[in-house]
Amino acid sequence: MKKTTIICSLVVVLAFFSSCETECKTVMTKNITVLVDATDSTLIDKAKYELRKENFEQLISQELDLEDNPKCFTVNYDFGIISTHSYYNPTSTALSHTDWGQARNKLVIGWRDFYASHEENLKSLDSINQMESTSLFPTLMKAINKTDGTIIVVSDLIENNPVVNFYKNPPSTPEQMEKTYNEMVGYYLPDSVRKGAEREVVFIVMSEPKNSGVVHKARAFWKYALEEHLGLNVTFADGISTI
């Protein structure tokens, strides 16, 4: 009887361990880039509020399609600033959960470090001097070239650079949009932007009522430029919670 009990116990234990795989068979990888318009202090304050921790947690969880239980995933997160300069030098952070055998508290610690890095990025916006003009176009194009994934742009969408000034002369017809796009490509981009079906651009629109008319035309321009020329999926939202 004892022998039978021992054998049955061993069978149960072996069945339990065989059903619990610690290594992931597949790992989901997501690339997320956040670009923040730092033209003025009002936009910076709005961006920091929009990208606060609870909103950013929601965004990451939504992009990873997480449920109650953690999945096998890697998320690569780039944070970049839209400025008067045409260079793109993002701060990168990565978080991986690729082993089902990991203790849950390890994952919690991983998230804590991940969001701490994100909050440091937001704090860095306070050290940026106010700029007289914005060059969203070159920063966005370089981010698109670098990222296979989702690009979140927190901005009022209004271009004011050496080539165009949406405040004074926003493009409003397809012909004007095409001309504006080509002029900025010629000025800013020596290399062509590669197309990629896996990429999407989501604009979080931080507009002020006094500029609502210009922002409306700017939305039309970005949708035209990115969909017609690059074949990207483009959407607009009033906040992360509405994506």
Side-chain angles (χ1 to χ4, degrees), residues 21 36 66 69 76 81 101 123 127 140 144 155 171 180 197 207 211 216 233 242:
E21 295 183 6
V36 175
L66 294 179
N69 296 318
N76 301 308
I81 295 170
K123 289 178 183 177
S127 62
L140 176 56
I144 289 171
S155 171
T180 297
S207 61
N211 296 323
H216 181 74
N233 293 321
T242 64

Side-chain angles (χ1 to χ4, degrees), residues 49-131:
Y49 178 78
E50 183 57 42
L51 292 166
R52 63 193 186 278
K53 185 178 179 181
E54 57 265 35
N55 272 14
F56 192 66
E57 284 179 340
Q58 176 184 324
L59 173 65
I60 297 297
S61 295
Q62 180 177 304
E63 285 293 317
L64 294 174
D65 190 26
L66 294 179
E67 297 173 353
D68 293 336
N69 296 318
K71 295 182 178 180
C72 299
F73 65 82
T74 296
V75 54
N76 301 308
Y77 163 51
D78 281 359
F79 179 88
I81 295 170
I82 300 164
S83 69
T84 54
H85 308 293
S86 61
Y87 64 80
Y88 176 55
N89 185 29
T91 301
S92 299
T93 307
L95 174 66
S96 293
H97 179 53
T98 57
D99 189 337
W100 281 108
Q102 285 182 337
R104 186 170 180 82
N105 65 331
K106 288 185 179 179
L107 181 60
V108 171
I109 291 171
W111 279 119
R112 191 179 299 142
D113 294 341
F114 185 75
Y115 292 122
S117 298
H118 167 67
E119 289 175 335
E120 284 300 313
N121 289 333
L122 294 186
K123 289 178 183 177
S124 71
L125 293 170
D126 292 330
S127 62
I128 298 173
N129 294 324
Q130 184 169 324
M131 291 176 270

Side-chain angles (χ1 to χ4, degrees), residues 10-210:
L10 286 172
V11 168
V12 171
V13 170
L14 288 172
F16 174 79
F17 280 108
S18 63
S19 64
C20 297
E21 295 183 6
T22 58
E23 295 297 326
C24 300
K25 290 181 179 178
T26 59
V27 177
M28 175 173 54
T29 299
K30 288 282 187 176
N31 301 304
I32 302 172
T33 296
V34 171
L35 299 179
V36 175
D37 191 336
T39 306
D40 58 47
S41 58
T42 301
L43 277 176
I44 289 174
D45 288 342
K46 287 183 176 181
K48 288 174 67 176
Y49 178 78
E50 183 57 42
L51 292 166
R52 63 193 186 278
K53 185 178 179 181
E54 57 265 35
N55 272 14
F56 192 66
E57 284 179 340
Q58 176 184 324
L59 173 65
I60 297 297
S61 295
Q62 180 177 304
E63 285 293 317
L64 294 174
D65 190 26
L66 294 179
E67 297 173 353
D68 293 336
N69 296 318
K71 295 182 178 180
C72 299
F73 65 82
T74 296
V75 54
N76 301 308
Y77 163 51
D78 281 359
F79 179 88
I81 295 170
I82 300 164
S83 69
T84 54
H85 308 293
S86 61
Y87 64 80
Y88 176 55
N89 185 29
T91 301
S92 299
T93 307
L95 174 66
S96 293
H97 179 53
T98 57
D99 189 337
W100 281 108
Q102 285 182 337
R104 186 170 180 82
N105 65 331
K106 288 185 179 179
L107 181 60
V108 171
I109 291 171
W111 279 119
R112 191 179 299 142
D113 294 341
F114 185 75
Y115 292 122
S117 298
H118 167 67
E119 289 175 335
E120 284 300 313
N121 289 333
L122 294 186
K123 289 178 183 177
S124 71
L125 293 170
D126 292 330
S127 62
I128 298 173
N129 294 324
Q130 184 169 324
M131 291 176 270
E132 294 180 357
S133 59
T134 307
S135 293
L136 168 56
F137 182 83
T139 307
L140 176 56
M141 293 299 154
K142 290 179 181 182
I144 289 171
N145 245 4
K146 183 180 184 295
T147 304
D148 283 319
T150 302
I151 300 171
I152 309 290
V153 183
V154 185
S155 171
D156 62 3
L157 311 185
I158 300 175
E159 277 285 19
N160 178 18
N161 60 45
V163 182
V164 296
N165 184 336
F166 282 11
Y167 290 108
K168 294 180 178 179
N169 190 27
S172 56
T173 67
E175 292 77 18
Q176 291 172 347
M177 293 178 193
E178 183 71 15
K179 182 174 182 292
T180 297
Y181 177 84
N182 288 330
E183 286 176 345
M184 287 198 287
V185 167
Y187 184 86
Y188 282 113
L189 302 180
D191 304 314
S192 61
V193 179
R194 63 186 178 87
K195 296 185 178 182
E198 297 301 316
R199 287 172 288 167
E200 64 172 341
V201 178
V202 179
F203 290 99
I204 306 297
V205 185
M206 303 279 102
S207 61
E208 297 180 53
K210 64 179 181 179

